[in-house]
Amino acid sequence: DVTKDGFTTAEIPWTFEAGTPMVAEAVGLGFLSVYYWVLPAVVGFLIPVALFALLSHFSDEPGDVLIGTLTTIGVVVLLGETHRTFGSFFLTRAFQGKALLLAVGIPAFTAMTLRFLRAPTRRTWLALAATITGLVGVTASAIPILMALGTTVAIALIFAVGRTRRDIAGLVAYAGAFGYVAVYSVFLLASNDLDLGVDSTVNQGFPRAYSDQLDLIVDWSRPYTAVVFVVTTAVALGAVGASDRRLLGGWLVVATILFLNPLVSPFVMEYLTSQNIYWRLFYIYPFPLVIGISAIRAARGVRSVSVERKRGIVLVVAAVLVAAHFAPGSPTSLAAADLRWPPGDTLPAVVLAVSE
């Protein structure tokens, strides 16, 4: 089951990982050093940058946005109760292309989308198009994820603020930013070497039922992610103004109706994502965005207290988030990371020699 280029149908070289050897060669470092050290460091830097950019659309106070960003990171790394939940595709797997898409790409793309649709300019369009094109280069799964997310946010924003005839041109231009995605999709569909159907090799072992896909994200024996999602969504909806409340509410409703419910999931899996990728659509919900918005609301609530008390509150929150990693039954994503000190290679010398 090998293509004419020597790759199996499950290993078509379009991903972030496939470019790592070229980066290693260019900088003169070993492949594993780049794969497990350099690129994860870059991704780890970009995560707070992307979250800060997105949260800036919901607050004009940089200090509050910073608190929201740091709180979001502190909470998300605790949510690792399943292999595919939000914390599991965050800092601990920053060397994987799909983690770059889910942890950095989605908030960055959403921030660019809101920026362009609210105030369309040629510069913001170019930034949006470049972001979309770059993320497709990270992983081909960005194609259905970004199309679903872009559709959802655009419809939700129309519901939130309304649209005039003048705004129609902006929506058309927004669709045009997906031009590379459209061309690349046609190329993939026309390729005779690819087998991406629901019964293909890459989809074996992945469930077709919506409830089973949801189980990939939520461990119902300890549903920490579900609880945090519900609580912070309720807080965020109450914390923002009327327009942003309609945006977040519409975002949730549109994502659920169009993509994330048992009635449409078979169609979506067959014609848009396949069951291998469908679980990633749960990332198009405004989460962990709502964690940051909730933290921004909390920051506003203590704005009038003294500086010393603010510092005390920050220290207590930070201590609680750190201590939660060591609590019995903690779902921390760091539990599966096999952290050790000092850091270094753990593979046998003969394997390291081959990799280098």
Side-chain angles (χ1 to χ4, degrees), residues 80-96:
E81 60 264 39
T82 77
H83 178 68
R84 293 177 176 82
T85 198
F86 292 84
S88 298
F89 280 92
F90 207 60
L91 295 174
T92 56
R93 301 180 72 180
F95 52 87
Q96 293 186 337

Side-chain angles (χ1 to χ4, degrees), residues 324-343:
H325 288 281
F326 304 95
S330 172
T332 172
S333 62
L334 303 182
D338 193 23
L339 300 179
R340 61 189 69 201
W341 190 265

Side-chain angles (χ1 to χ4, degrees), residues 209-265:
Y210 172 84
S211 59
D212 293 334
Q213 287 280 340
L214 182 58
D215 289 344
L216 297 177
I217 300 290
V218 179
D219 179 357
W220 296 106
S221 66
R222 45 176 191 163
Y224 298 103
T225 296
V227 171
V228 173
F229 177 91
V230 172
V231 171
T232 56
T233 297
V235 173
L237 288 172
V240 296
S243 178
D244 285 339
R245 187 177 301 115
R246 289 193 296 270
L247 170 62
L248 291 175
W251 190 339
L252 290 164
V253 171
V254 173
T256 301
I257 292 176
L258 293 184
F259 306 105
L260 295 166
N261 70 76
L263 296 179
V264 303
S265 61

